[in-house]
Amino acid sequence: MIKTIAWQDNRVVMIDQRKLPREEIYVVCSDYRQVIEAIKAMVIRGAPAIGLAAALGAALGAQGIAARDPGEFRQRFEEICREIGKARPTAINLAWALEGMLAKAESAAGRGVSGIKNLLVREARRLVSQDVAINRALGRAGQEVIRDGDTILTHCNAGALATGGYGTALGVIRAARAAGKKVRVLADETRPFLQGTRLTAWELARDRIPVTLITDSMAGHFMKKGLIDRVIVGADRIAANGDTANKIGTYSVAVLARAHRIPFYVAAPCSTIDPRIKTGKAIPIEERDEKEVTHWAGQCLAPAGIQVLNPAFDVTPASYITGIITERGLLQAPFGRSIREALRGKGEQMEAGRRRREATAKSGKKTK
Ligand code: MRU
């Protein structure tokens, strides 16, 4: 299995996804700020993998805190988590992982600083293996919607590289193959960052899963010809009503799928659902460097000074989604209800954690 990210000898090690598939090299971070830079620069990307990088980055940051007093330590740890939380805005897994790390630090209040530090490393590593287990469970649930012989269109990379391993959308495909179904994948190239060309094509070919690369604008053509049976994509944030933010271009694929009566599935762990956001309108959409659009292999292809827009994600309304595949099973419309049932109180738990920390921070200020 591809090792996306790991904790090794008090460092965070991740495969450099900017270099794939030409070079398989690893970036080693010995400071949490390097982890932040790696997330921003897309060394590591994909919502669950960003969450894991955040958790491991926080554990790394914790190791470097000099404070001996647990209260001071926790204050500095919260600052570090806040810094990491700003690395990228759309994938909710980033905030989710940091909430978990902060809650862990709080729960260890009775231990000394070195005990808390050890606990945070253990928790971050546990999140990595938990993510793989979640993807496998999600894959098992999702493969039920796939028939033997299906050709599946996917957009961006929601594979092992975008997670702790195995993948979400690609995890469903892996599980279908493991169940003996012969499936083929059409991978959209995914302009402008080419996650489909560079990453999805690479990881599927490596696993000998039949994959054919197409440009984004070819999807409608192949749907019209009856050559696509299902669409499965990942997600960066799912609102309480099922509206889903994913890589730019996903919405166009969903509209095309609806026009051709092709089932359109989102595969994501429950940690990608943000119950505090009611609809997709409130999901923040990252705007990335215009060079991703104007440049090709370091060369500018566009006229100098041209205006550029580069939103990294779009939102697919829930009404275009046939089902959301999670580790807790297939969620169907009405999504508001199925999501609530799948989460059972996750929103309240996160909110309570946030309020507790706010209260601790305020009382800390007063006593100064
Ligand atoms: O900009 P990226 O490469 O981080 O965007 C990734 C995606 O949009 C993925 O489809 C999503 O994060 C799901 S990954 C399991």
Side-chain angles (χ1 to χ4, degrees):
M1 196 169 70
I2 304 157
K3 263 256 166 290
T4 311
I5 184 160
W7 179 269
Q8 258 170 36
D9 306 325
N10 279 334
R11 285 170 170 70
V12 178
V13 181
M14 52 186 95
I15 192 163
D16 191 340
Q17 302 197 25
R18 299 165 307 178
K19 302 274 163 56
L20 288 170
R22 279 180 303 161
E23 285 176 274
E24 208 173 312
I25 57 169
Y26 289 79
V27 167
V28 180
C29 303
S30 51
D31 184 291
Y32 78 93
R33 294 177 194 89
Q34 293 171 322
V35 176
I36 295 176
E37 284 318 306
I39 296 172
K40 286 185 178 167
M42 311 273 277
V43 171
I44 186 152
R45 32 65 51 200
I50 292 171
L52 298 176
L56 290 164
L60 190 59
Q63 305 311 301
I65 299 175
R68 292 194 173 182
D69 168 64
E72 260 176 58
F73 170 85
R74 271 216 308 287
Q75 213 171 322
R76 176 67 192 124
F77 184 61
E78 285 191 22
E79 280 166 22
I80 289 174
C81 288
R82 262 199 299 280
E83 256 182 86
I84 299 175
K86 289 183 195 144
R88 286 188 78 188
T90 304
I92 188 63
N93 306 61
L94 180 69
W96 173 86
L98 293 169
E99 291 277 348
M101 294 297 282
L102 285 162
K104 208 24 124 188
E106 249 179 71
S107 76
R111 303 188 188 205
V113 166
S114 74
I116 306 178
K117 287 181 179 178
N118 290 339
L119 195 71
L120 288 172
V121 173
R122 274 211 299 281
E123 176 62 4
R125 297 180 80 171
R126 188 190 67 79
L127 288 176
V128 178
S129 23
Q130 175 185 273
D131 186 65
V132 180
I134 285 174
N135 290 336
R136 286 188 182 274
L138 180 159
R140 280 193 298 276
Q143 69 85 19
E144 305 265 340
V145 306
I146 296 180
R147 298 166 311 186
D148 191 17
D150 271 353
T151 296
I152 297 156
L153 177 76
T154 192
H155 190 73
C156 193
N157 172 265
L161 288 166
T163 61
Y166 203 68
T168 57
L170 300 192
V172 172
I173 289 161
R174 288 191 165 97
R177 301 263 309 169
K181 295 174 191 171
K182 286 198 175 61
V183 294
R184 300 179 64 254
V185 178
L186 280 193
D188 276 347
E189 64 170 348
T190 318
R191 275 280 288 154
F193 213 74
L194 300 179
Q195 287 92 334
T197 307
R198 297 184 300 102
L199 309 175
T200 298
W202 179 75
E203 74 164 82
L204 290 179
R206 201 171 185 259
D207 271 7
R208 301 190 191 290
I209 297 174
V211 55
T212 304
L213 185 62
I214 62 172
T215 68
D216 300 336
S217 49
M218 293 173 188
H221 170 75
F222 288 117
M223 286 184 184
K224 191 151 158 250
K225 282 178 143 263
L227 296 175
I228 295 173
D229 303 297
R230 299 269 181 282
V231 178
I232 310 183
V233 297
D236 286 84
R237 195 185 297 220
I238 301 173
N241 71 342
D243 290 352
T244 294
N246 190 49
K247 181 50 55 194
I248 190 77
T250 303
Y251 171 53
S252 314
V253 175
V255 172
L256 281 169
R258 169 59 53 87
H260 295 89
R261 296 171 198 275
I262 295 169
F264 178 95
Y265 292 98
V266 170
C270 288
S271 53
T272 302
I273 301 173
D274 186 351
R276 290 175 291 196
I277 282 200
K278 286 201 178 87
T279 75
K281 280 199 190 118
I283 299 178
I285 301 292
E286 178 182 10
E287 189 74 29
R288 290 191 62 86
D289 191 333
E290 56 189 47
K291 280 204 181 114
E292 288 179 2
V293 175
T294 53
H295 283 58
W296 187 263
Q299 251 203 317
C300 184
L301 301 183
I306 195 79
Q307 279 192 31
V308 174
L309 291 172
N310 186 18
F313 303 95
D314 59 26
V315 175
T316 299
S319 56
Y320 286 89
I321 300 171
T322 311
I324 301 176
I325 302 163
T326 74
E327 71 275 26
R328 297 190 187 154
L330 176 68
L331 312 186
Q332 281 171 305
F335 288 110
R337 194 167 70 200
S338 56
I339 285 177
R340 249 192 333 272
E341 279 165 11
L343 296 188
R344 268 184 253 116
K346 176 181 173 244
E348 285 84 352
Q349 272 166 29
M350 286 172 83
E351 194 51 29
R354 195 186 59 75
R355 274 204 232 108
R356 259 200 319 277
R357 269 188 308 286
E358 251 176 32
T360 319
K362 269 190 202 140
S363 65
K365 268 180 211 148
K366 272 184 212 147
T367 51
K368 268 186 186 170

